[in-house]
Structure formats: structure tokens, C-alpha cells
Amino acid sequence: MMNMDFFNRICLAVILGILAAAGVHWLKGRGQGEVGQEERGVFSLTADSRIRWLALPLILYGLTAIRCIGFGSIPAGFNQDGAMAAVDAMALADYGTDRFGNWLPAHFQAWGYGQMSVLLSYLMAPFIKLWGLNSVTARLPMLLASIAGAMALYGLVKDIFGSRAGLLALLCAAVAPWHFMQSRWALDCNMFPHMFILGLYFLNRGLKKGRYLYVSMIFFALCMYAYGVAFYMVPVFLLVSCILLLLSRRISWKQAMLSMAVYFGISWPIYGTMLINFMGWETVRLPFTTMAFFPESMRSGDILFFSQRPLEQLWLNGRTLWRQVFLQKPDLLWNALDDFGSLYHCSMPLVLTGAGITVYHAVKGEKKIRISCMLLLVYWGTAVLTGLFINYVNINRINIIFYSHLAFAGIAAYTVIKEWRRLAAGLAAVYGLMLILFLNQYFTDWAERMESCFFADFIEAVEYAGDLEADYYYITPDSQSDGSWWVSQILTMYAVKMDAKYFQGETNIFRGAEISYDDRYHFYNASGDLIHDNAYIVYVVREDRLGDYDPGRFMRRQFGGYYVVVPWAYAR
């Protein structure tokens, strides 16, 4: 088997060599008065607009095609947060409420002790309404948002550096492990970077056509419903950008005020929800939304400002940010493959070179692109600050930074190839081989390991048990860890497609029985001696509890590490 550490070092050396060769070639050409090879070689292939427009759909097709392979089945099972988003989305589709009965909430109650953003669930709801709740309909919004985000990245870089640079940035997104992996499972916070890059794209376009400024505010407002971290980044980004654009006379005060009106006109319910919880006020119910008070913690301990030792925590956050984002150290299995990192381990020199090139153009570049480069750098800077504000970031918590890194990588690749066309072959070889190796591991070893992480066996067992339409269910509370009954509950609701009205107690009829939810579903380990007036009882138990059920009295059906246990009298 290939030693990936050694291979990554070789690829890093190749990338560094390519950058060094481009630098030497630039210095040599500068001394001889040459201006590079913009219209020759590789770039001559895209000089014709017809060929350039063919390249765009081909890259987009490849990006989409590899993300659709095994979509819905890999990763197997479902993440507990994604399951919760899907269950609330089904309630929204059926009744316009979350699973607890709150009308069009601006923020979800989620686990109670920690809340959840709503945008992903609202985007899921139409698909679930049309085709029912399943892994495809629940994951499809993230895939579509990822494709839209990649196109916004292309458009942003194209508008600043030209179509060829945009194509290379799109190609970087197409092969990036982070962009690939997050598009294939449903996690609410992963919607944030896509909404932001769409906002930035339209903001930059608005510098030429003012109406796009207001379109950008729609997406920046939607960021607030995508991830709580947006509160620490989006307002700062918008404030700095507004000052920058006003000082450079790229927008007027009237445009700034109208943009602010659009932004707050869409986002005020989530700001209102945060204010209600900060002040401890009562829940506010309006005809078009609910701004709820959550009596439990708002997870403020995850933020630097609420830490007991903020200076010490700031140092730890900076160290974690450096390790996770710039060194790409191992992260959670569902966020990254250790052998490849978020953007491949060899990519950081390209990213930093692209950042340097952007700084250069922001200071000394052509006047027409300076302000756009500044906006891109403000994005990067506020993303880095956000990483410092969050305690112990991982990839999904700092996901906002990766589009800026993809943009920088595309800009660097464009500059390198523009300077010396022969270097394109080296870049193509490194990233082509990296992509092949990444996809091979993702669809084989990684897919097998993810089955337990995303509770595939447990969900399959509960789906089977639900089809039995028993009178009572006793389901293990140990699906994630010992005593994690709330995880077992939400996964059960996802697996059996539980009706929200039934969960709320407004109806007692569900899947073949007329028994209330609280009486029917129990999330604790019960022994086989339990008796309910000869009622039909089904158990879903972890393998280590199987000894509590006498095989002479119970039929036991295995689903990986779990068993569905049924009295022989009711066995089918």
C-alpha cells in the first residue's frame, strides 16, 4: 500500500518546485523585458470564447458527476444533526412547524441545550413534500447549494482576474476534498459558506451594476439562518466592506442604506431571536415566524468572549486554527480524510501564493480590480478572525474560510500557468493523481468506516422494527454513547418518518397502532421480562445487551452491532 505521508511530501515538493520555477521564469522575463505568455500554450486553448464556454460546462459536469456517485448511500446511515434537520423539515413540509409545533421558527430548539440553524431544513422541505423523507431528499439541498457556491466562486474570480482564472478556481473546487465531502451529507452549518460566497459574488458585481448590491444582501441575510457563527463574521465583513466602498466612492450612501434595509429586512427575525434569548424575554409568535426563547444554554461556551480565560483561550484558538486549516492536521472522520486534508496537504503553498498575489493587486494592481481584491482579502481576514473567536475549531466550524482558499489557489494556478505554460502539466499531474487516490479511499475504506459513525446499523434496525407496527418499542439509549437517548430518539424519528403531530401528542394514531407517542416509544434498556398485558413489544438493543433476551422466547434479528428482538409469538 502506498505510503501517503511520503507521497504527500513528494507532491508538496513538486508544488514548491513549480512555484519556484514560475518565480525564476518571471524574474528572467522581467530582466529581458518580456511580459509572460498569456495568449500562448495552454491559455490559447481558451482564447476562443466558444472553447472557453465549452470548458465551463465540462468542469461543472465533472464536479457534479463525481458528487452524484452513490449519492444518498455513501456515506451510509445519517448523522444525528442531519437527521434532526430532516425531521424538522418534514414537519415544516407537513404543517409549517418544527417537530415541537413552533410555527415557522427563526431558530430551532434542536437538542434543547444547544439550538440549530433553520435554513437547511427550510430548503429540504420542498423536496420532502414532493418525494418524501429519505437520504436523497434530505441531502439534495446541500448538493445544489455546493454547486451554486462553486459557480459563484467561478464568477467572482472571473470578474476579478478573467475567465481563465475563474475556470481554474472552479477546477480547484471540483477536486477539493472539503467541497466534495460536505456536499454529500446534511449538516446545517455547511450551508453558511455557500450563502456567503453567493453574497460576495453579487456584492462584487454590484460595483458595476448597483442592483446586484441588493441581491447580495439577500444571501448575506440568509447566512444568519445558516450557522450561528455568522453573527461573528457577516456583520463585521459588511461593516468593513461598507466603509471601504464608501471611502473609495464605489457606492453611495443611498445604496448603503438600501442595502442595509434589505439585509435587516430579511434577517431581523433571527436577530430578534438572539436578543430575546440574551435578555430572557418571552417567545414572540407572529403570523410569519416564531422567535423563540430557549431556557437552556445557547452554547455560549463555544465562543472566545464567554471563556473564563479569554487570553489563554485566544492562544489555544490560534494554535488550533493553524493546525486545522493551514497544516491540515487530522480532523473528525466525516469532515476530512487524514491522508488528504481539507484541500490536499500540498495545496497551502498555492493558497498563500494566491493570497500574496491578491494583496499585490489590491495595492498596485489595475484600478478596476483593486477594490474587488480588497473585498476578497476582507473576506479572508474576517474568516481568520472568526476562527480565532471559535473555541477549538474543526473543519465544519471554520468552513467559511475554504472558499477564499480555493479562490487563492485558483489565482495562483492561473498566474503560474500564465507565466510558464509548461508548468500546467505538473499541476495537472499532481491534482489529477490526488483526486483519483482521494476518490478511491472515499468510496472504499472511508465509506466502510463511516457506517458506524453515521449509525447505519442502528437506523436499519429501527426501520425494520418500525415496519413491524408493534404496540410498544424499547429502543437502546446507547446508539452514540451510553445514555445518549436523545440521539436514539432523533434517529428513530428519522428512520420511521415520524409524524410531527403524533410526536406532539395531538394524535395517537401512527403506523398501525392507536397509542400515544410517550406510551409507545421508550428509550432505555428494558429486559425481556417486561410485560404489557400481553401486548406486542419490540426491542432494539445493542449487541452487548443481547444476553438479556432468551433465544427460546425471542426471535433475534441482527443488523450489524444491533438486534431487533421480537417475541416468538409475534415473529414474522
Side-chain angles (χ1 to χ4, degrees):
M1 184 176 179
M2 180 181 294
N3 185 322
M4 284 303 299
D5 286 339
F6 178 74
F7 180 73
N8 281 323
R9 292 191 185 99
I10 294 295
C11 289
L12 178 60
V14 171
I15 295 298
L16 289 172
I18 288 173
L19 291 173
V24 170
H25 196 269
W26 177 77
L27 290 173
K28 180 180 177 181
R30 189 181 185 190
Q32 297 175 356
E34 295 178 1
V35 292
Q37 304 181 26
E38 184 174 357
E39 300 300 331
R40 303 203 304 271
V42 173
F43 282 128
S44 67
L45 297 177
T46 57
D48 188 303
S49 61
R50 292 172 298 178
I51 298 177
R52 186 165 62 248
W53 281 108
L54 180 61
L56 176 60
L58 284 176
I59 296 173
L60 186 60
Y61 173 79
L63 179 150
T64 305
I66 61 175
R67 282 154 179 74
C68 290
I69 299 171
F71 187 77
S73 59
I74 299 174
F78 224 80
N79 170 264
Q80 68 270 27
D81 288 332
M84 184 159 42
V87 169
D88 281 327
M90 187 172 73
L92 288 168
D94 291 341
Y95 306 109
T97 71
D98 65 5
R99 69 186 188 277
F100 297 107
N102 298 306
W103 174 253
L104 297 178
H107 205 58
F108 284 140
Q109 179 176 337
W111 303 110
Y113 65 85
Q115 289 71 54
M116 191 171 77
S117 300
V118 299
L119 181 59
L120 178 59
S121 293
Y122 278 97
L123 294 177
M124 285 181 186
F127 298 102
I128 292 174
K129 187 70 174 179
L130 289 172
W131 298 297
L133 174 59
N134 55 64
S135 61
V136 173
T137 55
R139 290 173 175 173
L140 191 56
M142 193 63 72
L143 174 63
L144 296 177
S146 299
I147 295 170
M151 286 302 297
L153 175 69
Y154 160 76
L156 176 66
V157 177
K158 170 181 172 290
D159 288 345
I160 302 174
F161 291 98
S163 59
R164 302 161 204 171
L167 289 171
L168 286 169
L170 180 62
L171 198 56
C172 287
V175 303
W178 165 76
H179 196 274
F180 177 89
M181 293 181 71
Q182 58 78 36
S183 70
R184 293 173 58 88
W185 64 289
L187 184 65
D188 62 310
C189 65
N190 281 333
M191 190 62 68
F192 177 32
H194 307 308
M195 295 300 105
F196 187 92
I197 195 66
L198 283 161
L200 183 57
Y201 164 68
F202 284 108
L203 177 62
N204 185 62
R205 296 219 77 186
L207 301 182
K208 295 181 180 179
K209 297 182 179 180
R211 64 180 180 271
Y212 287 119
L213 290 174
Y214 315 121
V215 177
S216 76
M217 293 302 119
I218 295 173
F219 289 104
F220 286 128
L222 290 177
C223 287
M224 314 312 294
Y225 298 97
Y227 191 19
V229 167
F231 282 91
Y232 300 93
M233 179 185 172
V234 174
V236 177
F237 170 82
L238 291 178
L239 177 61
V240 174
S241 298
C242 183
I243 294 172
L244 183 64
L245 295 175
L246 286 171
L247 290 177
S248 62
R249 299 176 184 257
R250 299 303 298 270
I251 63 171
S252 66
W253 278 101
K254 179 181 178 181
Q255 289 176 312
M257 292 298 103
L258 286 174
S259 296
M260 184 185 301
V262 173
Y263 172 75
F264 283 110
I266 296 172
S267 63
W268 72 264
I270 186 63
Y271 277 101
T273 301
M274 297 301 111
L275 181 61
I276 285 170
N277 283 272
F278 181 77
M279 300 299 294
W281 296 339
E282 298 265 336
T283 293
V284 175
R285 294 178 177 85
L286 299 173
F288 51 86
T289 191
T290 298
M291 296 180 289
F293 170 68
F294 306 110
E296 303 295 332
S297 167
M298 288 291 290
R299 299 180 69 173
S300 59
D302 292 343
I303 303 300
L304 172 68
F305 305 117
F306 300 99
S307 302
Q308 293 181 349
R309 299 175 180 172
L311 291 179
E312 179 181 340
Q313 189 63 54
L314 178 62
W315 166 256
L316 293 174
N317 290 354
R319 181 182 178 186
T320 305
L321 177 66
W322 176 255
R323 289 175 55 82
Q324 292 299 120
V325 174
F326 293 93
L327 298 183
Q328 303 186 65
K329 294 295 184 181
D331 193 78
L332 300 170
L333 182 62
W334 43 89
N335 281 334
L337 278 66
D338 292 351
D339 288 338
F340 301 94
S342 52
L343 301 180
Y344 299 119
H345 292 293
C346 61
S347 294
M348 200 48 59
L350 273 179
V351 170
L352 296 177
T353 299
I357 293 168
T358 306
V359 170
Y360 174 83
H361 284 285
V363 176
K364 294 186 176 182
E366 297 179 30
K367 185 177 180 180
K368 64 180 181 180
I369 69 169
R370 284 182 191 173
I371 198 69
S372 298
C373 291
M374 290 179 187
L375 288 176
L376 183 54
L377 292 170
V378 171
Y379 163 30
W380 189 38
T382 50
V384 171
L385 284 177
T386 301
L388 295 175
F389 292 160
I390 305 170
N391 296 344
Y392 308 111
V393 294
N394 56 27
I395 285 176
N396 60 271
R397 288 187 171 191
I398 193 57
N399 52 28
I400 188 59
I401 203 170
F402 293 116
Y403 269 124
S404 65
H405 283 189
L406 289 171
F408 291 149
I411 292 165
Y414 164 72
T415 305
V416 165
I417 298 172
K418 176 182 175 181
E419 182 57 40
W420 194 0
R421 60 186 172 84
R422 294 179 182 177
L423 298 177
L427 289 173
V430 168
Y431 285 99
L433 184 56
M434 277 288 188
L435 177 62
I436 292 171
L437 294 174
F438 165 74
L439 292 176
N440 176 68
Q441 190 174 132
Y442 178 92
F443 287 110
T444 55
D445 296 343
W446 182 87
E448 292 179 9
R449 295 170 65 193
M450 280 303 299
E451 290 185 10
S452 61
C453 293
F454 276 10
F455 313 100
D457 295 339
F458 176 81
I459 291 173
E460 188 178 1
V462 173
E463 287 175 340
Y464 174 80
D467 290 339
L468 298 177
E469 298 184 350
D471 297 323
Y472 300 96
Y473 289 96
Y474 287 85
I475 299 172
T476 176
D478 307 327
S479 55
Q480 184 180 50
S481 58
D482 291 347
S484 58
W485 66 269
W486 55 91
V487 175
S488 296
Q489 181 191 65
I490 200 66
L491 292 173
T492 296
M493 295 180 71
Y494 168 80
V496 302
K497 301 175 176 59
M498 187 167 291
D499 181 75
K501 296 292 186 183
Y502 181 70
F503 177 68
Q504 297 160 26
E506 293 192 20
T507 178
N508 290 334
I509 300 174
F510 181 67
R511 300 198 72 161
E514 190 172 350
I515 306 172
S516 71
Y517 168 82
D518 289 334
D519 288 335
R520 191 180 191 188
Y521 289 91
H522 306 271
F523 297 94
Y524 65 84
N525 292 306
S527 72
D529 296 328
L530 190 68
I531 297 176
H532 269 297
D533 298 326
N534 296 319
Y536 181 12
I537 304 174
V538 168
Y539 307 85
V540 178
V541 302
R542 211 165 63 179
E543 188 174 22
D544 57 354
R545 293 271 184 173
L546 191 60
D548 294 340
Y549 304 91
D550 182 2
R553 296 177 53 206
F554 295 96
M555 184 272 290
R556 307 183 300 187
R557 179 160 181 169
Q558 184 176 11
F559 296 87
Y562 295 88
Y563 282 79
V564 175
V565 179
V566 182
W568 277 113
Y570 293 98
R572 299 177 184 175

